Every structure is written in C-alpha cells, then in structure tokens.
Amino acid sequence: MKPILKANREPSDIDSYRPITLSNTIPKIMERMVANRVSWFMDKHKLMNVNQTGFQKGQQTTDQVYRLVREAKFAIDSGGLTVAVLIDFSCAFDLVWTDAVIIKLMKLKFSGRILNWIRMFLENREYRVKVDDAISDHYTLENGTPQGSSLSPLLFLIMVNDFPELSTHTSKALFADDSTIWRSGNNLPHIMHHLQSDMNLVAEWCNKWGFKINTKKQ
C-alpha cells in the first residue's frame, strides 16, 4: 500500500493521504473480471439505485448538479426556495464493513462462487505500507475495500445502494460517497422540519451500516 497525498492537503497530517493498494497483474485481471460480472448482473436485473450516477457508464457529476439546479430554479421562479444538504462520508472506502457487503450482495441474490470469491477478496487482507524506501511490517485490516482496485468502487455502490427512502417531496442524488438531499417550497420552517426528519433517517442508516458522516468538510 502506498499513501498518496490528496490535493491541497497538509502533508504533515496523516489524514491528508489516500492509501492506494498496489497489486500484481494477475489479481488485477481477476478483480476486473469479477467487477464486470457483478456490473452485468446489476444492469441486467436493474438493481442499481436509480439515483446513483457514481462510476456509472454514461453518467457524471454534472447530471446530479443539473437536477438540483433545475429544481431550485423552478422553485425560485415560482416564488419559493430550495434547501439542500450535502453529505460526505468520512474515509468511505476504508470504513466499509466487509460483512455488510456480503449481506447486501446476498440480498441482491448473489450466490455461489462469485459471492465466495468476493468474500475471500475482502476478508483477512494483509498489507504493508511503503514510504520512499521504507516498508512496514505486515498487518491485517478487518474492514475496508482496497483503494486502487477496479472492484472496490462497485462494492461501495452496493453498500450505499439501499440509501434510505426519504419523505415525500424530498429529492436525493447519489454520486459514490457524496450524497445530496434537498427540498423546495414556500415555507422555510416546514422545509427544515422535513429535512431534519430525513437526516435523522440517514443518520440511523449510517449507524446501522457503519458509515460516518464527515461533519468537518465544508
């Protein structure tokens, strides 16, 4: 594993680095094959959350931005307003609960060899960290998906695929580990009341599945 400094972050802060997994060619090929198969199954049975555009073919961040801008403009033109809450998960890939990934895959009807392969891919992974010419001892991570693997983004999407259903007239947009919920109307206290109720649902969902909302990011 090699720590890579994130853009515009303080080099002396350990949280400023992204742990990128370096794998051999053969495991990378297998990961790509499994990712393609899982993606095919999800597409065939239309299992992916319709609000998710992260890591999806033909979709990008601007698709979700356009939705929010369009609805906000419509509300403003009608004499109302729109309030949005932007949600970012802390260390999203690193904190993925591996047992929960398997549970959610089983709920989506994955089984047999591919499920067993993904379980072995996630469980008891040993790492060593390399900084310049120095290499650490081996250690094992209990949770998390390896960043740099072609399979990890898809497994993360499966983890957030059951993002909670919100109250009527509250919209949501998902882009991998970045999520946004918003609501339009003419009564600000009414909007805030419903958004708070929706955020309570999101917080309960996060507690259940081991996600942590980044309250420091602005």
Side-chain angles (χ1 to χ4, degrees), residues 76-141:
I76 293 172
D77 291 344
S78 302
L81 69 160
T82 297
V83 179
V85 180
L86 280 64
I87 305 167
D88 177 70
F89 297 119
S90 298
C91 303
F93 283 76
D94 300 330
L95 295 180
V96 167
W97 181 16
T98 54
D99 288 342
V101 175
I102 301 303
I103 291 171
K104 295 193 176 188
L105 283 168
M106 293 174 66
K107 287 182 177 180
L108 294 172
K109 306 303 181 184
F110 285 91
S111 61
R113 294 179 179 177
I114 194 164
L115 183 66
N116 290 333
W117 193 95
I118 294 174
R119 181 184 287 110
M120 290 187 292
F121 169 78
L122 293 172
E123 293 179 349
N124 300 317
R125 292 187 65 92
E126 288 192 349
Y127 292 86
R128 287 195 299 173
V129 179
K130 181 178 181 181
V131 178
D132 296 328
D133 294 328
I135 300 178
S136 72
D137 294 332
H138 286 87
Y139 64 95
T140 303
L141 292 181

Side-chain angles (χ1 to χ4, degrees), residues 22-35 117 121 125 149-151:
L22 305 178
S23 302
N24 293 325
T25 301
I26 293 179
K28 285 184 177 181
I29 293 174
M30 279 299 301
E31 291 164 18
R32 173 63 66 180
M33 292 172 62
V34 172
W117 193 95
F121 169 78
R125 292 187 65 92
S149 167
S150 58
L151 181 58

Side-chain angles (χ1 to χ4, degrees), residues 20 57 86 114 118 123 139 141 154 157 182 209 212:
I20 300 299
K57 294 180 180 179
L86 280 64
I114 194 164
I118 294 174
E123 293 179 349
Y139 64 95
L141 292 181
L154 185 54
L157 295 189
W182 67 90
W209 297 111
K212 182 179 179 182

